[in-house]
Amino acid sequence: MLLSQRRSLLKRIFASKFTLLLIACNIAVYCVAGFLDSRAFESLSQTSFLIDWGGNVPALTLSGEYWRLFTSMFLHIGFLHLAINMLALWSLGIILEARMRSWVFLGVYLLSGLCGSLVTALWHRDEFFLSCGASGAILGIFGAAIVYGLHDRRMGRPHIPPGNLLFSLVLTFGAGFAFDVDNAAHLGGLLSGALLAGIALYAERLRPTTAAVVLAATGMLGVAALAAVTLDNHDRDMQEQLAAARFGRTLGKMGLLGSDQALWKAPSLEECAAGALAAAARDGLKTPDLRRCAKPGDRDLALLARFMPLQYQSCHAQIAGLRKLYTDAAMQEALTAADQYCGTQTQIYRAIFQEDGGEIDPEKARQARLKMNFLLDQKGMYRTDSAPLRAQASALKGMLRRPGELAWAIIGHSGCPYWSCAR
């Protein structure tokens, strides 16, 4: 008797293996992300947490961060959001997966989720909107369950219990009342799930080999269609605005756009470094005395020693991206000057805070800093106030003025994808 019960339990578990796997994946993402990033449990920082970990922000998604269509399906706004969605997935998945082929069930879930994410991105593309959660994919399962239930009832077969459908529906839309409702994802997931279920039912009437070909072709065509629609709606203008906004924020933290945006004590450290470089250039010294700018025991300077080099690394990476977006000759020259400035500043910080800072040419370093300051404000003379130099300054400042309110709002709430950002 006990052996028979165990076999029955194992059979039921195997029949719903992808349901259990998807639930485990969602829970694992929630736990791991929360363990690695404390912002997950801080209400004031949760928006930036969700953006950095892959939430679906339409402007970011359609400007080239297409992976957000997928990653947003596994992110949740708190434990209650996760619990409601997983209960809904469990109530439907254990029954529908046993009725369908397991791989077909997984395909319906993933394609419905991607479709829901894409519909959200297209619907909210002109606003600051953040979407995450498995509800789009779950509504796809719900749509498939309705199609299968109606078909099986018409054929006089045991069908999906209406109670499970109602329970899942209440839970899923209950999550909508508890959190901001993403009706676009719900509608996209529901319709795509129903359509895919209809194709799956048609395949059941075919020979196994033919059915496998039809299902595989449907999956590939579905992915291709989603990719085609996504690429066709690529927002190059927003991509340029976001890149410029990120660069502007980095320049601000470096103190190049005014002391009000600079990191604490960065301007005073810059003054000290500028004085040391000027003295070395005046006296003909090969190595400026930058170590005097570091004050032992100053915690603020210790924080600058840690975080400012990260800003200069970001500067290099952002400039590489900007070169691909802004191809004007004057802009390319201005970006070259900015890249040289960030390289010089990296050397200066190494010389200030490390014993083996390496050699710095005081005059070259001073000129690189003077040129960058001139390009951004034109308040001082850099060697000669030439027409090409004025064109570079105009191009650089024009780029920094490009971002609109939406781009600045998104950048203001986000850092960078967690796996690509040194913290």
Side-chain angles (χ1 to χ4, degrees):
M1 181 69 176
L2 184 60
L3 182 60
S4 176
Q5 289 177 343
R6 287 181 178 176
R7 286 177 177 172
S8 176
L9 178 61
L10 288 174
K11 186 176 180 180
R12 290 173 61 187
I13 290 175
F14 183 77
S16 56
K17 56 182 179 293
F18 282 122
T19 299
L20 297 174
L21 179 62
L22 289 168
I23 291 172
C25 286
N26 279 278
I27 294 174
V29 168
Y30 179 80
C31 292
V32 171
F35 175 76
L36 293 175
D37 195 333
S38 61
R39 292 178 302 167
F41 310 112
E42 299 171 2
S43 57
L44 294 177
S45 304
Q46 199 170 64
T47 297
S48 63
F49 163 79
L50 292 170
I51 293 175
D52 291 354
W53 278 86
N56 184 12
V57 180
L60 288 173
T61 301
L62 295 178
S63 65
E65 298 182 8
Y66 305 127
W67 41 268
R68 292 180 180 274
L69 295 173
F70 179 78
T71 54
S72 61
M73 294 163 52
F74 294 90
L75 288 173
H76 289 85
I77 309 171
F79 179 76
L80 181 60
H81 188 202
L82 174 71
I84 291 175
N85 275 344
M86 293 306 99
L87 282 172
L89 176 56
W90 168 260
S91 68
L92 271 182
I94 57 174
I95 295 175
L96 185 62
E97 186 179 352
R99 171 65 180 82
M100 304 170 71
R101 298 177 178 90
S102 289
W103 286 102
V104 176
F105 172 85
L106 180 62
V108 170
Y109 180 93
L110 294 176
L111 284 173
S112 298
L114 289 171
C115 185
S117 295
L118 180 56
V119 171
T120 292
L122 296 174
W123 189 265
H124 298 283
R125 65 185 306 163
D126 295 322
E127 58 186 289
F128 184 20
F129 188 84
L130 172 62
S131 173
C132 59
S135 55
I138 293 170
L139 261 295
I141 296 301
F142 184 81
I146 292 175
V147 171
Y148 267 83
L150 292 174
H151 173 268
D152 288 352
R153 174 175 288 186
R154 189 174 68 252
M155 300 299 293
R157 301 174 184 170
H159 53 274
I160 296 170
N164 285 68
L165 291 174
L166 181 62
F167 181 63
S168 181
L169 185 65
V170 168
L171 284 173
T172 304
F173 282 94
F177 286 106
F179 307 93
D180 290 334
V181 182
D182 185 2
N183 288 322
H186 290 175
L187 181 61
L190 182 69
L191 294 179
S192 58
L195 175 62
L196 292 169
I199 297 173
L201 279 172
Y202 168 75
E204 288 184 356
R205 293 186 256 159
L206 305 175
R207 293 179 179 179
T209 303
T210 306
V213 171
V214 169
L215 293 172
T218 299
M220 289 186 288
L221 287 173
V223 171
L226 288 171
V229 173
T230 303
L231 293 174
D232 187 57
N233 284 276
H234 175 73
D235 194 339
R236 172 65 181 252
D237 180 67
M238 180 54 65
Q239 185 182 15
E240 292 176 358
Q241 289 188 46
L242 289 167
R246 288 191 187 97
F247 189 53
R249 184 174 64 172
T250 299
L251 294 179
K253 289 181 178 179
M254 290 156 50
L256 288 170
L257 299 180
S259 58
D260 57 322
Q261 299 182 46
L263 296 178
W264 176 245
K265 284 197 175 180
S268 60
L269 188 62
E270 282 296 299
E271 265 186 57
C272 181
L277 290 171
R282 182 184 65 244
D283 299 337
L285 301 176
K286 291 185 177 180
T287 305
D289 182 16
L290 290 166
R291 289 287 297 170
R292 65 184 175 86
C293 297
K295 299 176 182 178
D298 190 321
R299 294 182 61 185
D300 294 323
L301 291 184
L303 288 173
L304 284 178
R306 177 182 176 187
F307 289 111
M308 284 298 282
L310 297 179
Q311 299 303 319
Y312 298 126
Q313 289 176 20
S314 297
C315 171
H316 286 301
Q318 290 164 5
I319 287 172
L322 288 167
R323 287 188 184 280
K324 299 175 183 177
L325 297 173
Y326 295 88
T327 57
D328 177 74
M331 188 70 246
Q332 290 286 315
E333 289 294 327
L335 290 174
T336 297
D339 202 34
Q340 290 172 348
Y341 171 84
C342 291
T344 297
Q345 288 297 104
T346 302
Q347 288 182 306
I348 288 174
Y349 265 76
R350 191 181 300 123
I352 292 174
F353 294 105
Q354 298 179 19
E355 294 292 342
D356 56 341
E359 292 187 2
I360 296 177
D361 186 324
E363 183 58 25
K364 284 186 178 180
R366 197 172 71 87
Q367 292 297 331
R369 290 156 60 87
L370 285 173
K371 184 174 183 180
M372 190 61 188
N373 282 304
F374 174 83
L375 291 178
L376 289 170
D377 59 36
Q378 297 190 50
K379 291 179 181 177
M381 293 292 291
Y382 168 71
R383 293 184 179 174
T384 176
D385 187 7
S386 63
L389 200 58
R390 289 197 300 273
Q392 294 173 35
S394 177
L396 184 59
K397 290 192 292 187
M399 180 193 71
L400 294 175
R401 287 194 296 266
R402 278 210 63 192
E405 290 184 11
L406 177 57
W408 279 118
I410 293 170
I411 297 305
H413 282 86
S414 62
C416 57
Y418 192 87
W419 48 89
S420 69
C421 200
R423 284 177 168 83

